[in-house]
Amino acid sequence: MIKLEALRVFVTVAESGNIKDAADAVGRTASAVSMTLKQLEEEIGGPLFQTDRKNSLTALGNLMLDLGREQIRSFDKSVSIMRAFAHSRIGSLSIASVPSVATNVLPPILQRFLETRPQVQVELFDIDTAQVRRMVESGVADIGIAGESRTGGGVEFTPLFSDRFKLLCKDDHDLCRLDRPVEWSDLKAATLIRNGASDRIEAEDYKQISARSLITVYNVTSLVAMVKTGLGLTILPSLTMYGAYEGVAALDLGDTTASRQVGLVERRDVPPSPVAAAFRAFALKEIPVLVSEQLGG
Amino acid sequence: MIKLEALRVFVTVAESGNIKDAADAVGRTASAVSMTLKQLEEEIGGPLFQTDRKNSLTALGNLMLDLGREQIRSFDKSVSIMRAFAHSRIGSLSIASVPSVATNVLPPILQRFLETRPQVQVELFDIDTAQVRRMVESGVADIGIAGESRTGGGVEFTPLFSDRFKLLCKDDHDLCRLDRPVEWSDLKAATLIRNGASDRIEAEDYKQISARSLITVYNVTSLVAMVKTGLGLTILPSLTMYGAYEGVAALDLGDTTASRQVGLVERRDVPPSPVAAAFRAFALKEIPVLVSEQLGG
DNA sequence: CACCAACTTCAATTCTTCTGAAATTGATAA
DNA sequence: TTATCAATTTCAGAAGAATTGAAGTTGGTG
């Protein structure tokens, strides 16, 4: 069977014009090169050179030089694509993330991740936790970042960081003058605007307050706008409000259990692509650090 | 270094879905296949299958399956082109021939030659001996068929057959009633029309007759038309008149030395392409047989 | 015509790949 | 969960292929 390696040797000889130089170029002795050439000629079924001085090709030799070069080029390119993919330097990465992370965490993370992978194509969806889960489960997204939800179905949850809830109110609200964390009891008389995230808080006291609420808003921008107008207060994870909004204040809560776990959502039993695996490792290492700088600092 | 053979094994395994069947398909043991796969994964830098049951590929595996298939297909095709060319089943053949051979000999020869080589592209030029030589010398034609000329320059002559000259005259001419070959002396009073071929006859007697001639015609059709009109007689190689023309007669000459050598004209020092070499061998074997059937019979 | 450099040949060696047996693994059924 | 079974992997030795260095040819050159 003809080997690509034999074609490589032949092309080198054809380009050098003699066996000695070609032998040096491929790191073999002249004798090895000579034998390879002889074998190649036998397998192809005709002479490749006009004489045994290898400086001029036969018509067959010319054809083999053209075809051989092309095969070598194409093979090497394929291999380099395979390697680049295996080492996550090329490929595509589809991320589904809750908006707070997509907005406040992912930009610098992705920038650094892509610095060494300029050929990687990224898609980023910002959607809520339930939909993140769905996108990952269906394979539309390679990896998700979302709040914790009962692990099960086809997905798996790996915690990244936890994010305490805060109270959001107008910055001239009475509660701003409190010199201590806000307790649920402080909110007895307040008008609460519910939102997608705060519904996850388990505390009974909060649930009672929440039950009285008449408004639920899922979009953060709208929510903040309503708070700013004085329509009410709301409870949101710290990260969601990171960067602060004009005219509103974010106050600590006394209930230290009021927090959400944010983590990676991945498909179970389906191994990630090299890029996804690399991003997973990168995210696991870098996101907690970044978040603790942003929130803890 | 990654080998094409390893890709072949991988593709077979990916297509079989298990190592055992793939091993049978490639004629190795399962253990050899397993080791090849392991080595391939190491060299590429990532896993190709989701588990060690080889029934589902990773993203990397899918990429390698696509690229690998394409490489294998393309390599095998290249090799088969090289082999086909080496065995003269493909390629191009440019033949330059004097018209008599091109008309009377080459059609059946080429037909039989191409019967087993339907992919070979042939070009046929019919031109005179001097130009045949020139076309072969310049490399425009791979092989020539022409009368003998001093060997030298870049070309070599190999005889194929010899072709006696005949006298061509109107079929009601007095000479037709001769019951013996025509002698040069019979032509003393005749009007001779010269042509390119007859000028090569060396006999002194002929040269004297020829010297008196006032007309020279190089085109055979025109020449025959003139003879038929009764403008004069001419001397032509037998083959040129093969098949006979209406209204004219071809008479044997007494001078048995009046003949031309027809043979192959090839470039010296430049090896023929496989197709040209095959045609050369075929022509050398078949043309003399065919011509002796046509003329000698 | 002799010389020289390039190439080829040959037998021994080295490197690679393959095999068969044994161990391990993972899925399936008890 | 454990037992079972087939597939896969591992391992060491065997077989095979490629490589080497030395000796032998060949073809071109002064």
Side-chain angles (χ1 to χ4, degrees):
Chain A
M1 188 49 58
I2 288 169
K3 298 214 189 63
L4 196 63
E5 284 314 304
L7 286 187
R8 250 182 239 278
V9 169
F10 163 70
V11 168
T12 309
V13 174
E15 284 171 350
S16 315
N18 70 84
I19 284 191
K20 210 164 141 31
D21 294 351
D24 292 346
V26 301
R28 303 274 116 86
T29 59
S31 132
V33 171
S34 172
M35 285 171 125
T36 300
L37 247 35
K38 188 189 168 190
Q39 198 186 327
L40 193 58
E41 288 182 330
E42 266 167 21
E43 278 170 332
I44 285 294
L48 298 168
F49 296 92
Q50 293 190 10
T51 67
D52 59 7
R53 300 297 165 107
K54 311 300 188 191
N55 45 20
S56 53
L57 293 165
T58 59
L60 178 59
N62 275 308
L63 176 71
M64 287 219 14
L65 180 57
D66 287 349
L67 293 176
R69 269 192 183 130
E70 177 54 22
Q71 285 305 126
I72 291 165
R73 197 200 55 68
S74 145
F75 182 83
D76 290 349
K77 181 162 185 193
S78 282
V79 169
S80 95
I81 289 171
M82 294 172 196
R83 288 216 170 97
F85 187 85
H87 295 116
S88 83
R89 277 192 297 278
I90 59 172
S92 62
L93 175 64
S94 173
I95 305 171
S97 169
V98 290
S100 57
V101 178
T103 304
N104 300 304
V105 178
L106 288 183
I109 292 290
L110 275 175
Q111 187 190 19
R112 280 157 59 207
F113 181 72
L114 295 177
E115 241 161 35
T116 56
R117 299 172 182 85
Q119 306 264 60
V120 169
Q121 295 216 337
V122 178
E123 278 182 323
L124 175 60
F125 299 91
D126 71 352
I127 49 185
D128 68 34
T129 289
Q131 284 193 70
V132 164
R133 195 190 152 97
R134 217 171 298 140
M135 283 189 78
V136 170
E137 207 161 3
S138 68
V140 174
D142 297 305
I143 197 162
I145 299 174
E148 190 165 16
S149 57
R150 56 249 154 255
T151 297
V155 304
E156 189 151 16
F157 180 85
T158 311
L160 277 171
F161 61 89
S162 91
D163 190 14
R164 290 187 60 190
F165 282 91
K166 286 196 167 185
L167 176 76
L168 197 69
C169 60
K170 258 190 105 175
D171 60 2
D172 56 2
H173 195 281
D174 290 346
L175 288 168
C176 296
R177 281 184 285 280
L178 237 54
D179 221 19
R180 54 163 177 80
V182 179
E183 300 297 337
W184 297 127
S185 54
D186 298 327
L187 302 178
K188 275 188 183 130
T191 306
L192 191 76
I193 306 172
R194 290 171 58 182
N195 61 67
S198 61
D199 282 2
R200 303 216 175 191
I201 297 172
E202 303 286 350
E204 269 312 315
D205 289 343
Y206 169 73
K207 285 190 174 173
Q208 286 175 13
I209 299 161
S210 170
R212 290 197 332 258
S213 170
L214 297 171
I215 313 176
T216 306
V217 176
Y218 291 95
N219 178 282
V220 174
T221 310
S222 310
L223 189 61
V224 172
M226 289 183 180
V227 171
K228 202 188 289 182
T229 309
L231 215 64
L233 317 170
T234 195
I235 307 284
L236 276 179
S238 322
L239 199 63
T240 302
M241 296 175 278
Y242 180 72
Y245 296 90
E246 186 83 9
V248 297
L251 308 180
D252 286 337
L253 291 174
D255 181 354
T256 55
T257 68
S259 70
R260 61 166 182 176
Q261 271 290 328
V262 174
L264 294 177
V265 179
E266 292 158 281
R267 212 164 156 193
R268 201 196 292 279
D269 301 329
V270 175
S273 76
V275 185
F279 181 75
R280 175 190 206 279
F282 191 82
L284 230 38
K285 180 163 175 288
E286 303 293 339
I287 290 181
V289 175
L290 181 64
V291 170
S292 87
E293 274 169 19
Q294 291 185 347
L295 300 184
Chain B
M1 188 49 57
I2 288 169
K3 298 213 188 66
L4 196 62
E5 283 314 304
L7 286 188
R8 252 183 237 280
V9 169
F10 163 68
V11 168
T12 309
V13 174
E15 284 171 351
S16 315
N18 71 86
I19 283 193
K20 208 163 141 34
D21 294 351
D24 292 345
V26 300
R28 300 275 116 84
T29 58
S31 128
V33 171
S34 171
M35 285 171 126
T36 301
L37 247 35
K38 189 187 169 192
Q39 197 186 327
L40 193 58
E41 289 182 329
E42 266 166 22
E43 277 170 333
I44 285 294
L48 298 168
F49 296 92
Q50 293 190 9
T51 67
D52 60 9
R53 300 297 164 108
K54 311 301 187 189
N55 46 19
S56 52
L57 294 164
T58 59
L60 178 58
N62 276 308
L63 176 72
M64 288 220 12
L65 180 57
D66 286 350
L67 293 176
R69 269 189 182 134
E70 177 55 23
Q71 286 305 312
I72 291 164
R73 197 199 55 70
S74 145
F75 182 85
D76 290 349
K77 180 163 185 191
S78 282
V79 169
S80 93
I81 290 172
M82 293 172 195
R83 289 216 169 99
F85 187 84
H87 295 113
S88 84
R89 278 193 297 276
I90 59 170
S92 62
L93 176 64
S94 172
I95 305 171
S97 170
V98 290
S100 57
V101 178
T103 304
N104 299 303
V105 179
L106 287 184
I109 292 290
L110 276 175
Q111 187 190 19
R112 280 158 59 206
F113 181 73
L114 296 177
E115 241 161 35
T116 55
R117 297 173 181 84
Q119 305 264 57
V120 169
Q121 294 217 335
V122 178
E123 277 182 324
L124 175 60
F125 299 92
D126 69 354
I127 49 184
D128 68 34
T129 290
Q131 284 194 68
V132 165
R133 196 189 151 97
R134 216 170 300 138
M135 283 189 77
V136 170
E137 208 160 2
S138 67
V140 175
D142 297 305
I143 197 163
I145 299 174
E148 190 165 15
S149 56
R150 56 250 153 257
T151 298
V155 305
E156 190 153 13
F157 181 84
T158 311
L160 277 171
F161 61 89
S162 91
D163 191 12
R164 290 188 58 191
F165 282 92
K166 287 196 168 184
L167 176 76
L168 197 67
C169 61
K170 261 191 100 171
D171 59 3
D172 55 3
H173 196 283
D174 291 345
L175 287 168
C176 294
R177 281 183 287 279
L178 239 53
D179 221 18
R180 54 164 176 78
V182 178
E183 299 298 336
W184 296 127
S185 54
D186 299 326
L187 302 178
K188 274 188 186 126
T191 307
L192 191 78
I193 305 171
R194 290 171 58 183
N195 61 65
S198 63
D199 282 2
R200 301 215 176 193
I201 297 172
E202 302 286 350
E204 269 312 313
D205 289 343
Y206 169 76
K207 286 192 175 171
Q208 286 174 14
I209 300 162
S210 170
R212 290 197 334 257
S213 171
L214 297 171
I215 313 174
T216 305
V217 176
Y218 292 95
N219 178 284
V220 174
T221 311
S222 310
L223 190 61
V224 172
M226 288 182 182
V227 170
K228 200 186 292 183
T229 310
L231 216 64
L233 317 168
T234 196
I235 308 285
L236 275 179
S238 325
L239 198 63
T240 303
M241 296 176 279
Y242 181 71
Y245 295 90
E246 187 81 11
V248 296
L251 308 180
D252 285 339
L253 291 174
D255 182 353
T256 54
T257 68
S259 69
R260 61 167 183 174
Q261 271 291 328
V262 175
L264 293 178
V265 179
E266 293 160 279
R267 213 164 156 191
R268 202 196 292 280
D269 302 330
V270 175
S273 76
V275 185
F279 181 75
R280 177 191 202 279
F282 191 81
L284 230 37
K285 181 162 174 289
E286 303 292 340
I287 291 182
V289 175
L290 181 65
V291 170
S292 86
E293 274 170 18
Q294 292 186 341
L295 300 184

